[in-house]
Structures are given as C-alpha cells and as structure tokens.
C-alpha cells in the first residue's frame, strides 16, 4: 500500500454543474458524480477538473458505459500529476456497478458487481482513493499543482521537477491522446528564460527511438542550428521508483508504458503566424 493521499474526499453530484479546466471541453464529457478533495471549491455553476480525484457515471444498463471511459480520459488530461485514476460506473437497471482503472495504456475493469456480491468491492474502491494498491500509482510527486496563491478558477499551473531542477508555475499548452503516448506539453517562463517541457509515456522496445537521446546525439559535438536544443532528459522516477502503467501488462496484456520527460531550451514562431514565405522558412529553421 501507498501512504494516505488526502485527509478527506467528498462525493458531489454534479447535476447540471460543468467541470472547469479541461483540455477538451464537451457538454457530453461529464460524469454524474465526482470525488474531490474536501478543500476543492465548488459553487452552483462549476467545479475545477484539476481538483477531482475520481469520477462516477450512472447508466441505464451495462451497455451504456462509453461515457464512463470518456470522462475518465478527460480527468487524466486535467491531472498530469496522476499516472492513473480509479472510476466507477453504476447500471441502474439491475443495480450493478463496475470499477475502472485508467492510465496511458488503456482501461482495466472489474466484473459487474451486484448486491448479491456484497459491498466490499465498492468500499475497496473508496478506500483505494485514500490508500491505493502499490501497483496503482495515483500521484507522481515530480509534478505538483501550484496552489501558491493562484485563483483556483484560473488556468492551473504546475510545479515540475526534472533533472533535479524545479520549474515553477508551468502551464499546459497541449494535451495529446491519453491512450497513445499521453503527451502533455508545458510552457515555463521566468525573467531570463522560456522552456518547453514535454512529458509522455512510451513503450520500451516497440516505440520508435525516444526523442531525448536522439536530440542529445545530434548536439553531441556542439549545438546544431535548426534543431531544438535539449536542456535535460530523463525517465521519470519518484524515490527510485519509475512511473509505469502496470495494468497494461497484468490486465490488458499490453507492453508497459514508461513515463519520460524532457526540457527543451529552444522556442520557435508559430507557422500559422507567418505572413511571408521568408517568415515561414525562418519559423521552420527555428
């Protein structure tokens, strides 16, 4: 078991309340109930996605669980600090429920439980939000929500550690497909520098060569102009433990995805802003 993650979790029915701060916003991507940290604010109109710990969807029958999978992926987009998340689906027709684990490799699910099975699995789901199984890592402490005085309703900022250095107040600028490489791109700025931090999960032995070692090899004999500069690259680990997606191997029989991160020290102009062919070529060269 891992250590307790939070003191108290509240389950809140959303009704018509939208979730706030997701990379992809759709009126259909909304759970019926969310589990949130008790300190997370909530008003009559909204609730911040990045303060949600788990999601619950209520469906009429077993076959109507597509939305359960969708809202789980939306939560992962909003929570880059979570390698994986638990969620729950209730089927009202026969009062059944099913527990999900979602990470970059996909979904792992339990069987459908009924009242005849007792309520131990449901209690285990709730308990796991506080103290998850060791193979289910709910937190990556190398990336932490920055709650240092920022308005929780503003676009969230994240404090990221890479190569022993902290990058404070990073903003998400891109969320990739959760179930491919789960690429998340952050922007970091201070008074002197601007860095791009790329975070992703890759399949060792199946994916193409990782970006970090390739860029490092290109610049091995000195900076090569026209190629983005690499400030640091690493396989993410917390207290010596790598960030993996174990459900892929043990439940889905996929290859395990491993979390990697790199800090890029170059920026370029957006191609869509080029007004002339010269501007376009300069942006490509950057």
């Amino acid at each position: 078991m891992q250590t307790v993650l939070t003191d108290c979790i509240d389950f809140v029915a959303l009704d018509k309340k939208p979730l706030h701060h997701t990379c992809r916003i759709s009126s259909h991507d909304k759970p019926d109930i969310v589990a949130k940290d008790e300190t997370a604010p909530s008003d009559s109109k909204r609730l911040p996605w990045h303060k949600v710990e788990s999601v619950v969807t209520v469906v009429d029958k077993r076959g109507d669980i597509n939305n359960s999978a969708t809202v789980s992926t939306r939560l992962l987009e909003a929570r880059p600090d979570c390698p994986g998340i638990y969620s729950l689906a209730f089927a009202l027709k026969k009062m059944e429920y099913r527990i999900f684990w979602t990470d970059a490799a996909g979904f792992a699910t339990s069987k459908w439980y009924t009242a005849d099975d007792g309520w131990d699995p449901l209690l285990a789901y709730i308990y796991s939000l506080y103290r998850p199984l060791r193979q289910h890592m709910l937190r990556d402490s190398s990336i932490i929500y920055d709650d240092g005085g920022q308005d929780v309703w503003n676009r969230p900022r994240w404090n990221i550690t890479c190569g022993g250095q902290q990058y404070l107040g990073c903003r998400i600028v891109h969320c990739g497909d959760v179930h491919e490489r789960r690429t998340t791109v952050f922007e970091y700025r201070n008074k002197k520098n601007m860095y791009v931090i790329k975070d992703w999960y890759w399949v060792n032995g199946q994916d193409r060569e990782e970006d970090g070692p390739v860029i490092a090899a290109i610049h091995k004999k000195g900076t090569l102009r026209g190629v983005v500069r690499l400030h640091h690259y690493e396989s993410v680990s917390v207290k010596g433990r790598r960030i993996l997606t174990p459900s892929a191997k043990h439940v889905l029989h996929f290859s395990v995805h491993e979390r990697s991160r790199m800090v890029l020290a170059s920026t370029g102009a957006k191609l869509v802003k080029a007004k002339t062919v010269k501007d376009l070529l300069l942006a490509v060269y950057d």
Side-chain angles (χ1 to χ4, degrees), residues 32 56-68 88-96 112:
D32 299 286
V56 181
T57 52
V58 180
V59 297
D60 291 330
K61 55 184 184 299
R62 286 187 178 188
D64 301 335
I65 61 170
N66 286 341
N67 194 47
S68 301
L88 195 71
F90 269 102
L92 292 178
K93 190 172 183 179
K94 295 184 178 180
M95 291 302 294
E96 300 168 299
W112 283 98

Side-chain angles (χ1 to χ4, degrees), residues 14 74 78 111 137 140 151 161 225-226 273:
L14 290 183
R74 294 297 174 259
K111 70 173 188 176
M137 185 176 282
D140 173 359
D151 187 339
T161 301
R225 292 183 61 81
K273 291 188 176 181

